Amino acid sequence: SKACYHCSTIKSSRCCFTARTVWSGNKKRRVIYYLQMDIKERIEKYLARVYNYLTIRNRSEKEIRDYLTKKKADLEIIEHIIELLKKQNFLNDEAFARGWVAQRARFRPKGKYLLKIELQQKGITKELIEKILAEKNEELPDELTQAKGLRA
């Protein structure tokens, strides 16, 4: 059976939408009713998805927000999940940015300029980016070192 487009539950099980055919005057009309799932159930459902999303790699707060928005979570649920993940230390933008820079330095070296752009796309604040990139990091090549490596 197919999954609901809104809540991704199997349509034969409890879904957040249901359609009923009603008579309006002499015309038959299909009316869609919204069955409010318990807020706790909805949070648990989205939280399970986020935990699965986090198993791939660490994520920034913006990435989690974008993911939940794409999955059609309500704003109040998104805020609740973000706060919960921060309390559980699953969500920390500074640790994410440090890990991103270290990972890039080891596996796919990029200059500071490109790292800055990547981190901005991930939703990291400019102040935090400047702080992390300003720290002495021998693993992180600068653009000149990379250019010399390309010529050799």
Side-chain angles (χ1 to χ4, degrees):
S1 60
K2 293 184 178 180
C4 172
Y5 75 93
H6 182 264
C7 67
S8 299
T9 59
I10 304 301
K11 286 198 176 198
S12 60
S13 67
R14 185 173 172 206
C15 178
C16 64
F17 285 101
T18 186
R20 302 197 192 279
T21 303
V22 295
W23 286 93
S24 174
N26 62 352
K27 294 184 179 178
K28 206 178 197 184
R29 295 181 192 253
R30 188 175 171 154
V31 179
I32 297 177
Y33 295 96
Y34 178 66
L35 298 177
Q36 183 70 31
M37 288 174 70
D38 183 39
I39 188 93
K40 186 178 177 183
E41 290 175 10
R42 291 170 45 208
I43 288 172
E44 288 174 2
K45 178 186 75 169
Y46 287 116
L47 193 56
R49 286 182 173 191
V50 168
Y51 285 145
N52 190 29
Y53 189 55
L54 286 169
T55 59
I56 300 167
R57 66 170 174 83
N58 285 339
R59 306 285 177 168
S60 68
E61 184 177 332
K62 179 186 180 293
E63 287 178 302
I64 298 294
R65 284 184 191 281
D66 292 347
Y67 177 76
L68 288 170
T69 302
K70 186 176 112 181
K71 296 296 180 185
K72 299 184 172 108
D74 297 331
L75 186 58
E76 62 202 28
I77 291 175
I78 293 173
E79 293 301 323
H80 182 78
I81 289 175
I82 294 291
E83 289 303 313
L84 185 62
L85 291 172
K86 284 181 179 180
K87 286 179 187 174
Q88 296 172 343
N89 289 327
F90 282 117
L91 198 57
N92 181 340
D93 279 350
E94 185 172 351
F96 168 78
R98 288 182 193 284
W100 188 266
V101 169
Q103 182 265 343
R104 282 291 191 223
R106 265 184 255 124
F107 300 111
R108 293 175 63 194
K110 303 221 176 184
K112 288 184 179 183
Y113 180 74
L114 286 176
L115 280 172
K116 183 177 179 180
I117 291 172
E118 283 182 344
L119 290 171
Q120 285 175 345
Q121 289 172 347
K122 303 285 182 197
I124 307 300
T125 61
K126 290 182 180 183
E127 297 82 26
L128 186 56
I129 293 171
E130 294 300 324
K131 176 185 167 187
I132 291 171
L133 293 180
E135 293 173 354
K136 184 89 171 131
N137 193 345
E138 286 85 30
E139 295 179 10
L140 190 63
D142 61 352
E143 285 80 5
L144 181 61
T145 308
Q146 283 186 320
K148 286 180 180 177
L150 289 175
R151 285 183 63 195

